[in-house]
C-alpha cells in the first residue's frame, strides 16, 4: 500500500516503529475506569501523559493490557483519540483491534478516524482455525483499512513459516508480535520473513525472556511493567541494551521473577496486578472490568511489598 492523501505509508510507519524500538520499550497503557465501571477519559489522559514523559518507543492503546475486549466502540474511539492527541506525533500510536475480521474492520475504521498510525491485530474470538483461515483473516482486514497491521500470535493463533510468508506479502502487514515463546518456531518465522519485517516479543512480562528472544533476532519487547513502574522498565531496558548482565540478573531476581510468580496465582492477573500496581503509585486508572477481577487483599499486600523492593533496586520509591 502506498501513502494515501498525505498519510504515511506502511514502510514509513515501520521505520518509525523500528527507530522507537531501538530507543525504548513498547508501552501498553491501561484504560482508566471509574469505580462504577464507566470510562474515565481524564484518568486515561493523565496515565498516557505519564507514560509518554518516560520516552517509550511507541504507544499501544486499547490492546490486551488496555482491556480492548471490554470496550464498546464509542469508548474505543475515546481511548484511541486521547492517545493520539497526547502523543502528538512524538511516537507511533498502534491501536488494538480484534474479533472476527468484520468486527475488526469496524474498530479499524474508528482507529483511522482517530488518527492512529497502525493496528495490532489481536487473536480472533473463540474458535480454532486452519492456517489458510488465519491468513485470510488478515487479508480481509487489510483490504478494509489504510492502516499498517501488526499481527499478534497468541492463544489459538500460531503461524507456520509458510503462512508468515503469505501474510508478509500483504502490502500493509508490517510485523508480528509473538506471545507463544516457542523460540524454535519463532526462529523459523524470523528466517522466513522478508527483510525489514518487524518482530516484537509479546510474552507476558516480556522482560523475563528478553535475552532469549534477542538471541533469535527479536530484541524489541512490550513492557506491562512500564505501565506502573517506568523506572524499573527503563533500568532493565538500558541494562539489557548495554549488555550489563549483572543488573539484568539483579532486576530479574529481585523483581521480575517474583512478579511473575505473583501474576501466575490467578487467571487474569497479567492485567489486574498491573492495574493494581498503578493504583498503588497513585495513578487514576480505577478497577478492571469483568470478567477480570481485582487482586485479593493478601495478593495486593504482596504486590505492594514487591513493588517497593523493585523500586528500591533502581533508586526510586513508591
Amino acid at each position: 500500500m502506498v501513502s494515501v492523501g498525505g498519510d504515511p505509508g506502511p514502510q514509513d510507519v515501520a521505520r518509525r516503529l523500528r527507530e522507537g524500538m531501538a530507543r525504548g520499550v513498547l508501552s501498553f497503557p491501561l484504560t482508566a475506569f471509574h469505580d462504577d465501571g464507566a470510562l474515565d477519559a481524564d484518568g486515561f489522559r493523565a496515565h498516557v501523559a505519564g507514560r509518554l514523559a518516560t520516552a517509550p518507543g511507541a504507544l499501544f492503546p486499547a490492546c490486551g493490557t488496555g482491556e480492548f475486549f471490554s470496550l464498546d466502540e464509542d469508548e474505543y474511539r475515546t481511548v484511541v483519540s486521547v492517545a493520539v492527541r497526547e502523543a502528538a506525533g512524538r511516537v507511533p500510536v498502534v491501536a488494538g483491534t480484534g474479533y472476527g475480521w468484520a468486527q475488526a474492520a469496524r474498530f479499524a475504521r474508528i482507529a483511522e478516524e482517530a488518527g492512529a498510525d497502525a493496528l495490532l491485530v489481536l487473536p480472533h474470538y473463540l474458535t480454532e482455525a486452519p492456517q489458510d483461515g488465519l491468513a485470510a483473516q488478515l487479508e480481509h482486514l487489510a483490504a478494509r483499512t489504510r492502516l499498517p497491521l501488526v499481527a499478534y500470535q497468541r492463544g489459538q493463533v500460531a503461524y507456520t513459516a509458510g503462512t508468515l510468508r503469505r501474510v508478509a506479502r500483504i502490502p500493509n502487514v508490517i510485523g508480528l508480535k509473538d506471545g507463544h515463546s516457542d523460540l524454535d518456531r519463532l526462529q523459523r518465522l524470523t528466517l522466513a520473513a522478508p527483510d525489514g519485517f518487524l518482530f516484537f516479543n509479546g510474552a507476558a512480562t516480556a522482560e523475563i525472556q528478553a535475552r532469549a528472544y534477542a538471541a533469535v533476532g527479536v530484541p524489541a519487547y512490550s513492557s506491562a511493567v512500564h505501565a506502573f513502574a517506568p523506572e524499573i522498565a527503563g533500568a532493565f531496558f538500558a541494562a539489557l541494551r548495554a549488555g550489563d548482565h549483572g543488573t539484568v540478573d539483579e532486576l530479574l531476581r529481585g523483581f521480575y521473577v517474583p512478579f511473575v510468580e505473583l501474576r501466575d496465582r490467578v487467571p487474569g492477573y497479567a492485567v489486574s496486578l498491573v492495574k493494581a500496581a498503578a493504583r498503588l503509585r497513585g495513578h487514576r486508572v480505577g478497577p478492571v472490568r469483568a470478567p477480570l477481577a481485582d487482586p485479593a487483599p493478601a495478593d495486593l499486600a504482596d504486590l505492594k511489598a514487591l513493588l517497593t523492593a523493585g523500586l528500591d533496586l533502581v533508586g526510586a520509591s513508591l
Side-chain angles (χ1 to χ4, degrees), residues 6 20-21 57 59 75 84 89 103 107 115-116 136 140 147 164 174 180 184 210 236 262 274 294 302 304:
M21 288 155 45
L59 196 68
E75 291 169 333
V84 169
Q103 186 63 43
F107 282 102
H140 280 296
L147 294 179
L164 184 71
I174 62 173
H180 283 296
D184 179 280
F236 185 92
L262 180 56
V274 171
D294 289 313
D302 289 345
K304 184 174 182 179

Side-chain angles (χ1 to χ4, degrees), residues 20-25 219 221 232-242 251 256:
M21 288 155 45
R23 66 172 181 264
V25 300
Y221 61 90
I232 298 173
F236 185 92
F237 180 86
L240 185 68
R241 291 303 169 95
L251 289 170
Y256 283 100

Side-chain angles (χ1 to χ4, degrees), residues 2 19 39-40 48 64 88 120 133 142 159 174 198 237 242 250 254 285 295 297:
V2 297
E19 292 170 353
L39 181 68
D40 181 357
V48 168
L120 178 66
Y159 300 105
I174 62 173
L198 303 177
F237 180 86
E250 180 182 42
V285 295

Side-chain angles (χ1 to χ4, degrees), residues 10-288:
Q11 293 315 308
D12 295 320
V13 175
R15 174 187 54 78
R16 289 186 65 209
L17 280 169
R18 190 176 298 106
E19 292 170 353
M21 288 155 45
R23 66 172 181 264
V25 300
L26 305 177
S27 179
F28 286 68
L30 300 157
T31 299
F33 300 118
H34 293 289
D35 288 342
D36 65 359
L39 181 68
D40 181 357
D42 289 337
F44 178 68
R45 183 177 295 107
H47 178 65
V48 168
R51 301 317 91 202
L52 290 168
T54 63
L59 196 68
F60 287 70
C63 294
T65 305
E67 298 178 75
F68 165 80
F69 47 83
S70 75
L71 300 176
D72 67 27
E73 292 181 9
D74 289 339
E75 291 169 333
Y76 177 85
R77 183 185 302 276
T78 298
V79 166
V80 178
S81 296
V82 167
V84 169
R85 286 196 298 270
E86 290 298 316
R90 289 176 288 171
V91 298
V93 175
V94 184
T97 190
Y99 306 115
W101 62 259
Q103 186 63 43
R106 292 174 63 92
F107 282 102
R109 285 193 293 274
I110 295 170
E112 280 189 32
E113 294 165 0
D117 296 293
L119 294 165
L120 178 66
V121 185
L122 303 171
H124 63 269
Y125 174 69
L126 188 62
T127 187
E128 295 180 355
Q131 292 294 308
D132 282 349
L134 296 180
Q137 162 88 340
L138 290 173
E139 290 167 347
H140 280 296
L141 178 57
R144 290 162 174 80
T145 182
R146 298 194 307 269
L147 294 179
L149 306 178
V150 175
Y152 189 4
Q153 63 168 17
R154 189 187 186 110
Q156 73 273 35
V157 176
Y159 300 105
T160 64
T163 301
L164 184 71
R165 282 190 286 267
R166 173 177 166 182
V167 163
R169 288 194 293 270
I170 303 170
N172 52 335
V173 174
I174 62 173
L176 175 72
K177 182 182 180 186
D178 174 70
H180 283 296
S181 303
D182 181 340
L183 297 182
D184 179 280
R185 175 187 288 266
L186 184 59
Q187 182 71 89
R188 295 168 191 264
L189 295 180
T190 62
L191 293 172
D195 290 344
F197 197 78
L198 303 177
F199 284 91
F200 310 82
N201 167 2
T205 315
E207 287 90 343
I208 289 284
Q209 299 183 66
R211 284 188 291 202
Y213 269 82
V216 295
V218 185
Y221 61 90
S222 57
S223 177
V225 171
H226 186 265
F228 64 87
E231 304 97 328
I232 298 173
F236 185 92
F237 180 86
L240 185 68
R241 291 303 169 95
D244 180 359
H245 296 294
T247 297
V248 168
D249 287 344
E250 180 182 42
L251 289 170
L252 289 174
R253 290 193 192 98
F255 177 75
Y256 283 100
V257 169
F259 180 75
V260 168
E261 291 170 350
L262 180 56
R263 183 201 72 200
D264 288 347
R265 289 181 187 176
V266 177
Y269 266 17
V271 176
S272 302
L273 276 183
V274 171
K275 213 164 197 184
R279 292 195 301 271
L280 285 172
R281 303 209 69 196
H283 301 168
R284 183 176 141 187
V285 295
V288 294

